[in-house]
Amino acid sequence: MANVNKVFLVGRLGQDPEVRETSSGAVANFSIATNEYFTDKQGEKVERTDWHKCVAWGKQAELSRDYLRKGSNVFCEGKLKNSTWETEEGDKRYKTEVVVYNIQFLDPKKDEDSIYDYAPKPEATPVVKDDIPF
C-alpha cells in the first residue's frame, strides 16, 4: 500500500507573509484561514475557522512576498510536516505546518476586467453604419 502526504488548502491569508533570506534561498511563513459552516444540534448556524501555518521556499517564497497580502485568497498545495523540540525549561513543544510547493493566486488582477468587478460598466455607444468612414 502506498503512503500519501498531500494537502490542498483554499483560504485567506491572516497577515502579510514574513519572508527572509537564508543561505539556501528565500523562505516565507504565513497562515491561511479556512472556514467551515454547519448547523448545530440546536439549529443554530455556526462558522468555524481553522488556521493553518504554512512555509514556502525558493521561488514560491518570492512569489508570496511579491503577490500575497493579508486577506489574499489563495490555493496552496503541499505536504504536512510535524516538528518536535524541547524548550530550555524542558517542556516539549509540537508544531504542524504545511510545506507549500504550489501556490495559485485566486484574487482577480486589479487591471483586468473580471467577473468579480461588480461596478456597473458604461453602456456601449451603438455603431451606426453611416458613422463608419469607409
Side-chain angles (χ1 to χ4, degrees):
M1 174 177 269
N3 296 312
V4 177
N5 181 357
K6 192 156 198 115
V7 176
F8 297 103
L9 293 173
V10 176
R12 295 202 175 270
L13 263 67
Q15 74 279 341
D16 290 350
E18 295 176 13
V19 182
R20 64 186 194 286
E21 292 294 326
T22 67
S23 58
S24 59
V27 60
N29 294 90
F30 52 91
S31 294
I32 296 177
T34 57
N35 296 321
E36 176 183 12
Y37 304 93
F38 60 94
T39 305
D40 65 11
K41 291 179 182 179
Q42 291 77 29
E44 300 290 323
K45 293 188 182 211
V46 178
E47 176 184 2
R48 180 181 308 157
T49 301
D50 288 314
W51 289 94
H52 311 277
K53 292 183 180 203
C54 300
V55 61
W57 294 87
K59 187 66 173 172
Q60 298 300 315
E62 294 169 12
L63 290 171
S64 299
R65 175 192 59 220
D66 296 340
Y67 296 104
L68 293 179
R69 297 291 174 260
K70 178 180 179 178
S72 294
N73 198 16
V74 65
F75 166 83
C76 289
E77 180 180 1
K79 64 180 182 177
L80 285 179
K81 180 182 174 196
N82 297 307
S83 302
T84 309
W85 70 95
E86 237 179 76
T87 65
E88 292 178 2
E89 294 80 27
D91 297 329
K92 241 184 177 184
R93 299 284 188 216
Y94 303 91
K95 175 172 71 170
T96 300
E97 61 188 2
V98 177
V99 178
V100 176
Y101 50 80
N102 181 21
I103 298 174
Q104 293 181 16
F105 311 112
L106 301 179
D107 289 326
K109 291 183 180 176
K110 302 265 187 240
D111 58 346
E112 280 186 7
D113 283 340
S114 163
I115 61 170
Y116 301 106
D117 184 8
Y118 296 111
K121 303 278 188 229
E123 292 193 26
T125 305
V127 176
V128 180
K129 187 176 181 182
D130 295 338
D131 291 341
I132 302 173
F134 48 90

